[in-house]
Amino acid sequence: MQTSFKAITSASLLFILALPATAEVRQHGAHEHGSATLNIAYVDNTLEVELLSPAMNLVGFEHMPENDEQFKQLNSALSKLKQAHQLFGLPSTCKLKHINFEGELVESLAQSSKNDHHEHEDHHKSKDEHDHDEEEHHHSDIHAHYQFGPCKDISQLNISLIKQFPGLEHVTTQVITSRAQTQLQLNSQQQTVPLSQ
């Protein structure tokens, strides 16, 4: 019985968590710079966190990296995102079980590790010359997904995303626990997320 409940809860949480970010992007037609979405689920001592943000907020640009400096900026942003315990104010006893990043810029970084940066630069410069007008209006998001467990007796998260990424001004946060669903806005004054489990 417990396994069935856990499976249903997990499936429901994944479905619910996927809806707001997708609906928000569709509703606005384009993403909003300075704003991000954070979905948090804390059920049965498992914590899942999902971040969806325009790349501009985290990296400072949205086009494919064109030079070594932009590759360094992207690497730096991903390094900060990998510091999950620090980003969410979690104790070390809450183990990071899974982390995943998605988005065009993340894929470009993976591709660059296979190619020489200079070849990559030349490729993008040539492409940019041909696609300049199209690239000018290009939007790119970074999606991060974290899973922690077991995480016992966590009463709150202290989110440091806004401190780590100055391009972020506010983060729409949705929280699902076994007892409640809440939504709040994080900003420079409010960075604590209560987990009322």
Side-chain angles (χ1 to χ4, degrees), residues 27-197:
Q27 181 181 354
H28 294 295
H31 57 208
E32 181 184 345
H33 293 174
S35 178
T37 300
L38 190 65
N39 296 310
I40 300 168
Y42 183 46
V43 176
D44 294 335
N45 294 322
T46 297
L47 176 67
E48 296 216 29
V49 180
E50 178 185 59
L51 171 67
L52 181 63
S53 174
M56 179 65 79
N57 299 338
L58 308 177
V59 182
F61 58 89
E62 294 189 322
H63 55 78
M64 294 298 173
E66 297 172 350
N67 54 48
D68 287 341
E69 183 59 34
Q70 290 180 346
F71 275 103
K72 286 178 186 173
Q73 288 174 256
L74 180 55
N75 261 322
S76 174
L78 291 178
S79 291
K80 289 178 185 178
L81 288 172
K82 288 177 183 174
Q83 302 300 314
H85 283 80
Q86 184 180 16
L87 281 179
F88 308 120
L90 290 168
S92 60
T93 55
C94 184
K95 300 296 180 195
L96 178 62
K97 293 169 63 176
H98 174 76
I99 186 171
N100 184 50
F101 300 108
E102 295 177 10
E104 290 177 348
L105 296 184
V106 175
E107 292 167 13
S108 74
L109 190 59
Q111 184 63 31
S112 76
S113 67
K114 296 177 186 175
N115 300 329
D116 178 58
H117 279 216
H118 297 294
E119 289 175 14
H120 202 72
E121 278 183 48
D122 292 341
H123 171 73
H124 280 290
K125 286 179 185 173
S126 159
K127 184 176 189 252
D128 286 348
E129 289 170 10
H130 296 294
D131 297 333
H132 183 266
D133 292 338
E134 185 180 324
E135 293 272 316
E136 206 170 311
H137 302 295
H138 183 76
H139 296 288
S140 182
D141 292 327
I142 292 180
H143 178 223
H145 179 253
Y146 306 84
Q147 185 180 48
F148 303 88
C151 298
K152 297 181 180 181
D153 305 321
I154 299 176
S155 60
Q156 68 181 28
L157 299 179
N158 297 310
I159 310 294
S160 68
L161 284 166
I162 292 172
K163 288 179 186 174
Q164 294 290 325
F165 299 100
L168 271 175
E169 297 170 13
H170 56 90
V171 181
T172 301
T173 305
Q174 299 183 55
V175 182
I176 299 172
T177 69
S178 59
R179 295 184 182 181
Q181 292 183 16
T182 56
Q183 183 172 339
L184 64 150
Q185 286 284 338
L186 300 180
N187 54 44
S188 58
Q189 278 73 45
Q190 170 60 40
Q191 297 179 37
T192 301
V193 176
L195 299 176
S196 55
Q197 184 170 0

